[in-house]
Amino acid sequence: MCGIVGYVGEKQAQDVVIEGLRRLEYRGYDSAGVALVADGTLATEKRAGKLANLEKAIADHPLPPATTGIGHTRWATHGAPNDRNAHPHPGADRRVALVHNGIIENFAELRAELETGGHLLLSETDTEVAAHLLEVEVESGADLTQAMLAVVRRLEGAFTLVAVDAQDPSRVVAARRNSPLVVGIGEGENFLGSDVSAFIEHTREALELGQDQVVTITRAGVSVVGFDGTPAVGRRYHVDWDLSAAEKDGHDWFMRKEIYEQPRAVADSLLGRRTPEGHLHLDEMRLSDQELRDVDKIIIIACGTSFYAGMVAKYALEHWTRVPVEVELASEFRYRDPILDYSTLVVAISQSGETADTLQAIRHARTQRSKVLAICNTNGSTIPRESDAVIYTHAGPEIGVASTKGFLTQLVACYLLALYLAQVKGTRYGDEIDQVMAQLEEMPGHIEQVLAAGQTVYELAREHVDTRAVLFLGRHAGYPVALEGALKLKELAYIHAEGFAAGELKHGPIALVEDGLPVFCVVPPQGRDQLRDKMVSGIQEVRARGARTICLVEEGDDAITPYADVVIRLPKVPVLLQPLVAVVPLQLFACELATVMGHDVDQPRNLAKSVTVE
Ligand code: F6R
C-alpha cells in the first residue's frame, strides 16, 4: 500500500530513488513521483499510472543532478489516481516536498484550517495538508526534524511521511505511525524505504523503527526521536537475502518465479526446527511451555490468502492438539466483541506483517490479555513486533502481489505450531510428531513433482482463455484450497470464480452449474475413504448437470477417472498436508491464464501487496 523511498548520499538521488520505487512498485502502482533537492530548489516529477510513465516523463524532461531525494509509488486512498493527486506534494511555496503512506483521519479539519488561512490546495489528497503544515513550520524557523515533530503531533490516523526541504539538502526526515518504514544504513549514504527491497542493492544493514518515531538521515548518520522529542534507538539487523532474491531470474513474472521457488521456501521454513535429540524447537517462540499448556482456545486471525492458511491450520491444530480453534477474518474480529482471555492464544497470520486489519485485531486481543503469536514472512515488520511470539516463515521476499510461496510457508509454520503445541501439551507421542515431521520434510520433493508436470496445467489454462466463470470444490483441508484457487483466479484473471465446500453444493450453489462450466475438484486422498467417496458423489452431481470436471487426484486413485474430464495428478501425501501440493496446480493455472489473457500478473488491477489501511 504505497511504496516510499528516501535517499541522501553521494550517488545521483534520482537513480537510487527510481530503482527503489521499481522494487516497491508491487505495493501500489496508481501513480509514481520523485522530488529532488537541487541548488536550493525542489525538482519534482510525477505521473499517473505505472512507474514507466514517470520514467518516460523524466527521460523527456531530465531532472537536475542532486544527491538528496524522495520518491513514492501510490495505491490511491484519498483522490483519484491522476497526476494531480500523485505524490510528492509540495508546500505552498514549494520549499518542502512530502510523500505519504496511510490515511490522515483528521485531514478535513486541517484542510479547512489551512484554506481559511489562505492556503490553496491543489489536490484531493490528505497528504498535501501535511506538506503545507510542514512548510509553515520550516518557514517559521524550525529545522525539518523539528517541523516534522510539530506536524505529526497534529495528525490522527496511520502514516509514514518522508520529506525534504529545498534549503537543507543535508537531510531527509521521516515519521512513522502504524505504517511501515525501515532505514538502510550505508557508508556515507543512508536510505529510507517502506521495506528493505527499496535499498537492498546498496546495503543489507537495516534499522527497524518503533511506532511514533521521527528519523533523520544525513550522509553521516541516522538519528531517531519519539514524537515527544526524546531520543530513541532502533533495532539494527542484517538482511539475510540479497538483490538476486528480488529479481525475476529469467521468469516472465515474479509470481511465476515465486511459484517455482516453493520447494526451496518450504524446505527453508522447516530448517533448524528440530534439536539433535529430535525435539521440535521454534526459536522465535517467546511463550513458555507453561503458558502454552494453559491455552484452552485458539483464535486465528488473518486476511485473504493468509486466512485460508488459517482455515487449513484449524484442521491440523484441532486434530493434533485437541484445542478448539476459531478462524476469523481480521477485519471482522474486533467488531463482534470476541470472547478472549489470558488462556486464549491468538494466532495472527500475515505474509507482510503490515496488514492494518490484522494489526488492529491483535492490538484488540492484547488489550483483553490474550497472548498473540504471529506467523510472518517479514522480519522487522509491525505485526511480529507487537506480538508475544513469532514464527517466521522463510519464503524470502514475495514481490508478486498474489501470494504463493507466502501461503505454502504459512501452512508449514501452522503445521509446526500445531506439532509444537502437541509436544508441549503431550497430546501426541514423540514418534507421531517425528512421523509428521518426516512427511513434511518430504514435501519439497512432492511440490517439485507437481511443478514438473506444470506444462499440462499451462495447456489447460490456455484452453480456458474465453471462460468467464469457474467453480472450485473441496472438502476438509481441500476446502480452503478450493477457496484459494478461486481467489487466485479472481485477482489475476478477473474471472468470476467461487470456491465451495463440496457438501454445500446441493444446498444452493449447484444452481450455478451449466453446460461446459469448468469445475476444479480437489479430491481427498484415498486414505480418507469416507471423505473421498463423498467428494466423488459431488463430482458426479456436477458432471450430471453438464460441468466440465477438472479433478486433482492423488496418483493411483483411478476410480475417479470415469467422472473426470481432466485429471491432474497429485503425489500421495497425508490428507492434512495435501494443501501443500494441491494448491500448486491452481496457482499455475491462474498465473498462465492471466498471462494469456494479457493481464499484468505481478500487479493486478486495483490491488496492492501490503494493505496498510483498514
Ligand atoms: C492474495 C493475497 C492477499 C493477502 C492478504 C493478507 O493473493 O495476497 O489476499 O493474503 O492481503 O496479506 P498479509 O498476509 O500480508 O497480511
Side-chain angles (χ1 to χ4, degrees), residues 303-306 349-355 358 401-403 410 484 487-488 491 609 611:
C303 305
T305 291
S306 303
I349 308 179
S350 174
Q351 188 284 130
S352 63
E354 299 293 351
T355 301
T358 311
V401 163
S403 186
Q410 285 168 348
E484 172 63 2
L487 178 62
K488 287 281 112 43
E491 63 183 332
K609 182 72 183 161
V611 187

Side-chain angles (χ1 to χ4, degrees), residues 206-288:
L207 188 77
E208 175 185 307
L209 296 170
Q211 288 300 352
D212 289 5
Q213 291 185 339
V214 165
V215 58
T216 303
I217 60 166
T218 62
R219 285 186 185 196
V222 176
S223 67
V224 185
V225 290
F227 279 8
D228 60 2
T230 52
V233 276
R235 182 184 73 94
R236 196 169 162 155
Y237 63 102
H238 181 76
V239 182
D240 58 9
W241 50 271
D242 61 14
L243 183 60
S244 65
E247 302 284 0
K248 282 192 214 158
D249 238 4
H251 289 276
D252 51 351
W253 305 113
F254 278 110
M255 182 191 177
R256 207 184 303 267
K257 174 191 169 221
E258 288 160 6
I259 292 174
Y260 283 90
E261 280 174 349
Q262 292 182 119
R264 172 85 270 138
V266 166
D268 286 351
S269 290
L270 285 166
L271 220 60
R273 305 297 194 178
R274 288 211 267 186
T275 63
E277 298 76 44
H279 287 119
L280 257 184
H281 135 95
L282 303 176
D283 51 8
E284 311 92 342
M285 172 64 69
R286 300 186 287 254
L287 296 172
S288 69

Side-chain angles (χ1 to χ4, degrees), residues 470-546:
V470 181
L471 297 188
F472 293 77
L473 304 181
R475 289 192 82 106
H476 189 262
Y479 169 41
V481 173
L483 294 171
E484 172 63 2
L487 178 62
K488 287 281 112 43
L489 215 49
K490 281 185 250 206
E491 63 183 332
L492 298 173
Y494 317 146
I495 284 180
H496 184 203
E498 290 297 334
F500 294 107
E504 267 299 291
L505 212 61
K506 53 194 177 295
H507 300 291
I510 200 162
L512 292 170
V513 177
E514 56 190 17
D515 244 7
L517 178 80
V519 180
F520 279 85
C521 309
V522 184
V523 183
Q526 281 169 293
R528 296 297 294 267
D529 350 340
Q530 271 196 348
L531 263 182
R532 174 185 159 278
D533 294 351
K534 295 240 160 59
M535 185 71 201
V536 176
S537 311
I539 296 172
Q540 285 172 279
E541 284 159 19
V542 291
R543 197 155 189 263
R545 288 160 178 85

Side-chain angles (χ1 to χ4, degrees), residues 270 272-283 289 416 419-420 422-424 428-431 433-434 437 441:
L270 285 166
R273 305 297 194 178
R274 288 211 267 186
T275 63
E277 298 76 44
H279 287 119
L280 257 184
H281 135 95
L282 303 176
D283 51 8
D289 285 1
L416 289 171
L419 293 173
Y420 187 77
Q423 175 180 280
V424 171
R428 289 279 140 174
Y429 293 119
D431 59 345
I433 295 173
D434 282 351
M437 281 304 289
E441 279 155 7

